[in-house]
Amino acid sequence: MNLKKSCLFPTYNKFPLTLVRGHQTTLWDDEGKSYLDFMAGLAVCNLGHVPERVKERIQEQLEQLWHVSNLFHIPVQEELAEKLVTISCADLVFFCNSGAEANEAAIKCARRYHQRVLGNNRYEIITFEQSFHGRTMATLTATGQEKVKDGYLPLPEGFVQARFNDIQSVRNSITDKTAAVMLELVQGESGVHIAEPKFVFELAKLCEKEGILLIVDEVQTGIGRTGSLFAYEQYGIEPDITTLAKGLASGLPIGAMLGKEKLREAFSAGSHASTFGGSPLPMAAGMATIEILLEDGLEKKAQQMGAYALDKLRKELKAYPAICAVRGLGLLIGIQFAEPVAPIIQKLHQNGLLVLAGGTHVIRFMPSLYVTCDEFDQAIDILKKVLKEWDGGTGEATL
Ligand SMILES: *Cc1c(COP(=O)(O)O)cnc(C)c1O
């Protein structure tokens, strides 16, 4: 271990591991030990690590051109925008570099739409308790968790939080200033809380009736993760704005805000921009990622594997009193514990299974969408072994 003081700001509590190589769902550390990767970055490497065909597309682009300003036409950017429009309910795309930036663009777009296109004075955004939307000043204010706001006062104005899965709470939060509602269909970061279909249906209806834009944050749920290309498809709704990032370019930095045609005039030349947004390299990676996702029907694979995994987890984890619930949508799965999971996660890592917490009491399983039954069985075996050492596996949980 290197005991020298790091030159990095201490913004991360780092695991004591250095990963140096990856292939599909396997990672290797600097001592040659292999790990089953059930984090996939942070739901980023949906195609697994170093996917061959994405690598080839990046290499081609690397030979041609790395960067050109958005003041010029960038064909691969137009191509990816067209592709995203074809596979989604949206008509327009703005590219940026991260999830927070995509949500920031969504917030700006919603305010501009009301203030410049409709000519009203609406600016408030309703978000939800336990939500997560990013770390910029606006998106941390949108986030429904105190931990991301600590020490950052004063926060920007115009955000209110309603209760998740509680339509009356949304109704109570609406004022004559409400511009948009922003929602994750599965709250991933806070522990895999899944929106109820009835709630989402009523929310979409309410937004339409009140002239409020519906923004769905699919930064984590998008790109096949939940068993459909976008999670909103499973709810039978069409968001006015959808934001994407994590899985969109297989690990290169990217963000995208997708919007309906009626929002076109919300932005005019110079009203929003990003130097690196839509750069050729991430665009090439994004193009290849989407093509492969479609060719291999990965969202269907995620749906099937997710069903297999949920069923198996519920059966096999019944005997462990530390576990209170297993829930998931596709390959975004949460295992809820009665106690904080940090020490259990450490043990799982030592036993060769890389997983991540969701909130303090949930372990998230979100492997590559190519994960096999065999790999899931291995992961569950490791989890059971660690749990046995943890609490003896004597009690009876109700799953
Ligand atoms: C990760 C995440 C974000 C923030 O994305 P960054 O790329 O880290 O800025 C926003 N919303 C959701 C739902 C996320 O999971």
Side-chain angles (χ1 to χ4, degrees):
M1 275 301 254
N2 190 351
L3 295 177
K4 199 176 93 204
K5 254 197 175 165
S6 172
C7 297
L8 298 169
F9 272 109
T11 53
Y12 302 99
N13 198 3
K14 288 183 184 281
F15 295 122
L17 266 185
T18 303
L19 300 162
V20 293
R21 192 161 65 85
H23 179 64
Q24 294 171 349
T25 310
T26 307
L27 280 166
W28 286 268
D29 70 12
D30 53 355
E31 291 168 0
K33 186 178 168 188
S34 71
Y35 298 83
L36 259 182
D37 179 15
F38 271 47
M39 296 166 64
L42 232 157
V44 167
C45 304
N46 286 6
L47 304 190
H49 290 283
V50 197
E52 197 57 33
R53 282 184 286 170
V54 181
K55 186 174 87 180
E56 283 163 14
R57 273 301 283 275
I58 295 172
Q59 277 170 341
E60 270 171 39
Q61 189 61 52
L62 204 52
E63 295 296 328
Q64 288 168 13
L65 185 67
W66 293 12
H67 178 76
V68 65
S69 161
N70 275 307
L71 296 172
F72 297 94
H73 290 288
I74 302 174
V76 63
Q77 186 185 109
E78 296 276 353
E79 226 183 295
L80 181 57
E82 221 175 287
K83 188 63 132 187
L84 288 171
V85 163
T86 308
I87 64 172
S88 73
C89 67
D91 306 296
L92 296 160
V93 183
F94 174 82
F95 287 114
C96 47
N97 310 284
S98 68
E101 223 187 313
N103 286 334
E104 191 84 24
I107 293 162
K108 289 177 77 174
C109 183
R111 287 187 175 176
R112 284 272 300 194
Y113 174 68
H114 283 288
Q115 294 172 30
R116 287 284 179 271
V117 180
L118 301 183
N120 62 39
N121 189 25
R122 297 196 196 186
Y123 59 87
E124 266 173 14
I125 316 279
I126 298 173
T127 66
F128 293 90
E129 291 173 5
Q130 299 174 305
S131 62
F132 184 81
H133 298 296
R135 302 289 194 156
T136 62
M137 286 307 293
T139 58
L140 74 82
T141 308
T143 293
Q145 302 182 58
E146 284 314 305
K147 67 175 187 191
V148 304
K149 307 181 189 194
D150 182 46
Y152 294 122
L153 298 179
L155 302 178
E157 259 183 79
F159 294 88
V160 289
Q161 264 103 49
R163 288 185 63 83
F164 192 56
N165 279 333
D166 182 344
I167 195 70
Q168 193 53 45
S169 165
V170 180
R171 276 196 202 102
N172 296 344
S173 306
I174 293 174
T175 69
D176 59 357
K177 296 278 177 281
T178 305
V181 170
M182 183 148 98
L183 169 81
E184 295 161 273
L185 292 168
V186 182
Q187 295 182 326
E189 199 272 344
S190 67
V192 190
H193 305 288
I194 303 168
E196 288 162 11
K198 183 167 180 277
F199 166 71
V200 175
F201 178 76
E202 286 178 351
L203 179 65
K205 249 188 9 197
L206 180 64
C207 285
E208 193 173 350
K209 182 171 144 265
E210 301 286 337
I212 293 166
L213 295 175
L214 180 59
I215 304 170
V216 173
D217 176 348
E218 296 240 20
V219 168
Q220 189 162 159
T221 54
I223 322 299
R225 172 60 51 190
T226 64
S228 50
L229 289 178
F230 308 101
Y232 69 72
E233 295 167 34
Q234 297 179 56
Y235 288 87
I237 58 158
E238 292 200 354
D240 297 299
I241 297 176
T242 306
T243 54
L244 300 173
K246 293 193 164 98
L248 181 52
S250 294
L252 265 63
I254 193 169
M257 176 192 60
L258 279 56
K260 290 280 198 190
E261 178 61 38
K262 69 177 176 191
L263 300 169
R264 187 182 290 268
E265 306 300 329
F267 288 132
S268 50
S271 59
H272 192 47
S274 166
T275 295
F276 289 122
S279 246
L281 283 174
M283 291 298 105
M287 233 4 242
T289 300
I290 299 289
E291 279 169 9
I292 295 164
L293 186 77
L294 295 173
E295 268 175 42
D296 289 357
L298 280 184
E299 79 284 6
K300 284 178 214 84
K301 278 205 174 81
Q303 190 204 347
Q304 287 157 2
M305 277 309 304
Y308 171 83
L310 264 191
D311 186 54
K312 178 140 182 156
L313 280 164
R314 283 183 176 140
K315 277 192 190 123
E316 305 239 340
L317 298 181
K318 257 198 165 59
Y320 298 89
I323 293 169
C324 335
V326 178
R327 51 182 181 260
L329 198 64
L331 285 173
L332 180 48
I333 294 171
I335 305 167
Q336 170 103 37
F337 283 69
E339 57 198 299
V341 292
I344 301 170
I345 285 178
Q346 206 180 334
K347 285 262 182 295
L348 291 171
H349 287 194
Q350 286 161 5
N351 280 273
L353 175 63
L354 299 182
V355 294
L356 191 73
T360 52
H361 285 57
V362 173
I363 286 178
R364 266 183 288 179
F365 272 16
M366 38 189 193
S368 137
L369 309 187
Y370 283 114
V371 69
T372 63
C373 292
D374 188 47
E375 285 166 334
F376 243 110
D377 294 350
Q378 284 177 47
I380 293 173
D381 283 344
I382 295 172
L383 178 60
K384 279 162 62 179
K385 174 173 176 266
V386 165
L387 288 175
K388 253 190 200 106
E389 289 162 11
W390 198 254
D391 63 21
T394 46
E396 186 77 13
T398 45
L399 299 180

